[in-house]
Amino acid sequence: MLKLYGTELSSRLLLGTAQYPSPAILMDAVKASETRIVTVSLRREMTGGKSGDKFWSLIQSLGVHVLPNTAGCHTVKEAVLTAQMARDIFATDWIKLEVIGNHDTLQPDVFALVEAARILTEDGFKVFPYMTDDLVVAERLLEAGCEVLMPWCAPIGSALGPLNLHALRALRGHFPEVPMIVDAGLGRPSHAATVMELGFDAILLNTAVAKAGDPVAMAAAFAKAVDAGHMAFHAGMLEPRDVAVPSTPVIGRAVFT
């Protein structure tokens, strides 16, 4: 059972809600993923007008937890204001905190991220910070009051999969008790299985499912991959070897009569 800020969840897959071909496909994908948390952008709600109202009604009908995000924010002030507005609109103190620092890579501005996280946790928010795979940034975010971390594995929407397994492994090993959700850059179910095999607690997806040829089938595929990776980590995997090891006994000699 996954536990985030005191809430127990039956699924280790979090799903974004943007870019789906239609509301019906979004609904079917959420159901197929068996996720218990979906992320929602406040900017979509603010700019959607009547369609925004319909979208919010659709999300509410799914019966899942809502994790509002500050997507598109580039400064501390902008992120904090967006989070405060999201708390009023979505009636939750959860916030996925994004403070983007680079337009090309959408890499987080980690300095602004830590400052915004400190302000928001002091204001009672339960912050899910979207961060790089940096140990020092992780330490600063924990000191700022975050109880969950969300390291990236590649740039948002790139589908490149985990680019720096060493950094992710080090991050997981350094903070074994901190819930960590790998966010951004996952393109295939095998990517999800790989990071879950490292011992991460969950993953968050959007583009890999929403832009798939069959988003509903892909959501189900990612759900199975997440579960498989989690089970494999706890089952105890063999470490790679440089030499061959026979899988059948070679001691003695078979006797036929």
Side-chain angles (χ1 to χ4, degrees), residues 49-255:
K50 291 184 178 179
S51 63
D53 294 338
K54 291 180 180 177
F55 174 76
W56 179 224
S57 297
L58 182 152
I59 295 298
Q60 287 180 306
S61 72
L62 293 170
V64 297
H65 296 276
V66 173
L67 176 59
N69 65 59
T70 62
C73 293
H74 291 78
T75 67
V76 173
K77 183 177 180 181
E78 192 178 10
V80 169
L81 179 61
T82 301
Q84 292 169 337
M85 295 172 68
R87 179 164 58 183
D88 293 338
I89 292 174
F90 298 108
T92 176
D93 54 7
W94 285 10
I95 189 74
K96 182 194 170 191
L97 181 61
E98 295 183 27
V99 186
I100 300 302
N102 183 279
H103 291 283
D104 294 328
T105 64
L106 299 180
Q107 181 170 342
D109 179 339
V110 295
F111 305 101
L113 179 71
V114 172
E115 176 61 12
R118 184 188 61 77
I119 293 170
L120 291 171
T121 55
E122 289 177 354
D123 193 23
F125 281 91
K126 295 177 173 61
V127 178
F128 296 67
Y130 165 60
M131 55 177 284
T132 55
D133 51 11
D134 187 293
L135 281 173
V136 177
V137 174
E139 288 178 346
R140 297 294 182 269
L141 287 167
L142 294 172
E143 290 170 359
C146 296
E147 297 180 12
V148 174
L149 299 177
M150 300 185 75
W152 73 349
C153 74
I156 292 173
S158 67
L160 290 170
L163 296 179
N164 193 340
L165 285 174
H166 172 76
L168 289 174
R169 188 179 290 111
L171 196 59
R172 179 69 286 178
H174 207 75
F175 304 102
E177 304 302 325
V178 176
M180 288 194 198
I181 303 165
V182 174
D183 179 19
L186 295 162
R188 302 182 178 195
S190 57
H191 297 158
T194 296
V195 297
M196 292 300 291
E197 287 174 1
L198 295 178
F200 284 90
D201 299 283
I203 66 166
L204 191 155
L205 292 169
N206 191 158
T207 308
V209 171
K211 292 296 187 181
D214 184 341
V216 179
M218 189 60 75
F222 266 105
K224 293 180 184 299
V226 168
D227 287 343
H230 179 68
M231 290 178 65
F233 173 73
H234 287 283
M237 293 173 288
L238 287 178
E239 292 300 322
R241 299 166 173 153
D242 292 329
V243 297
V245 178
S247 57
T248 54
V250 295
I251 298 174
R253 180 175 294 178
V255 176

